[in-house]
Amino acid sequence: MNVRVLFFAGLREALGTGSESLALPDGIATVGALRDHLAARGESWSALATTKNLRSAVNQLMVAADATVKEGDEVAFFPPVTGG
Amino acid sequence: MSVSVQQADFDVGAEMAALSAGRDDVGAVASFVGLVRADKAAAADAGVAPAVQAMTLEHYPGMTEKALQEIVDQAERRWDVFGIRVIHRVGRLLPGDRIVMVAVASAHRGEAFVACEFIMDYLKTRAPFWKKEETPEGGRWVDARESDEHAAGRWDSGPN
């Protein structure tokens, strides 16, 4: 399954990248599993596990960690928002 | 009903006037404008120079506009309002610069005030913007505030 992953704000800086297209191994079907998969790369990627109250979105809608990820989805991870 | 995400500044008076232009049923236009604050009092308390020298607003293009529109749509469903305008700036801003404007037109002040406050509370917790402050010590991402979550939570029990 191929997905596009986006990172924003402090998380983007910690990872040193704002986006990535990747092929997921079988068995990764939720936002939470994708987060764990990326965090398991180690080093700076552990920021995905340690960022407090990490938020996520699928296809530009805010979702919880148990949300399903499908082929072609755009999945974003970011810290709590601070606009306004 | 319209939302804009832009680098450019905006004219608050012109935007508010536009909400009632050409109609005679608008009895109230309420607005909120958020500005970049230098936070001199906090800096003085800490015995340092004013902390915020500038601020850069990052956002999630595409999702930002959708999230703002969803908030505006929800306000329309909850209250009897005639028009809503939301403008949020992105990019580098200086103390005193406008960041955001929400304006709501309705027949009476009650709906206009409450819808305006609802939109700001939801925008603060649901629209994907992030502030990074420039300080003498370097860049610093602004932390989300518990009080903002609490403010938005007040509206959750109402009708959608």
Side-chain angles (χ1 to χ4, degrees), chain B:
Chain B
M1 309 289 164
S2 73
V3 305
S4 299
V5 179
Q6 62 191 45
Q7 291 200 346
D9 193 12
F10 45 82
D11 183 334
V12 177
E15 296 291 345
M16 290 181 71
L19 284 172
S20 62
R23 54 193 301 171
D24 59 7
D25 52 353
V26 173
V29 180
S31 69
F32 172 85
V33 176
L35 310 167
V36 180
R37 187 166 48 99
D39 213 355
K40 288 185 175 133
D45 286 349
V48 298
V52 180
Q53 298 172 330
M55 169 178 287
T56 299
L57 271 137
E58 178 172 331
H59 76 122
Y60 180 172
M63 179 175 167
T64 314
E65 294 80 357
K66 285 184 195 173
L68 291 176
Q69 190 61 53
E70 167 55 26
I71 294 166
V72 166
D73 290 348
Q74 223 184 110
E76 269 199 280
R77 290 195 295 272
R78 286 183 177 218
W79 295 283
D80 193 8
V81 299
F82 297 151
I84 298 176
R85 182 83 172 109
V86 177
I87 306 175
H88 202 299
R89 295 178 70 190
V90 294
R92 190 167 182 270
L93 301 173
L94 301 174
D97 283 351
R98 281 177 279 271
I99 304 172
V100 60
M101 184 200 83
V102 174
V104 180
S106 61
H108 305 285
R109 72 183 185 282
E111 291 89 347
F113 275 133
V114 76
C116 189
E117 187 170 24
F118 164 84
I119 291 167
M120 272 311 300
D121 284 349
Y122 266 32
L123 183 156
K124 281 274 192 183
T125 53
R126 300 182 178 208
F129 293 100
W130 300 273
K131 292 190 183 111
K132 187 176 190 180
E133 296 172 341
E134 292 173 30
T135 75
E137 292 77 38
R140 179 177 68 198
W141 290 99
V142 172
D143 284 327
R145 290 151 49 119
E146 188 78 21
S147 57
D148 288 335
E149 283 292 338
H150 179 74
R154 292 180 302 152
W155 305 98
D156 290 348
S157 56
N160 283 300

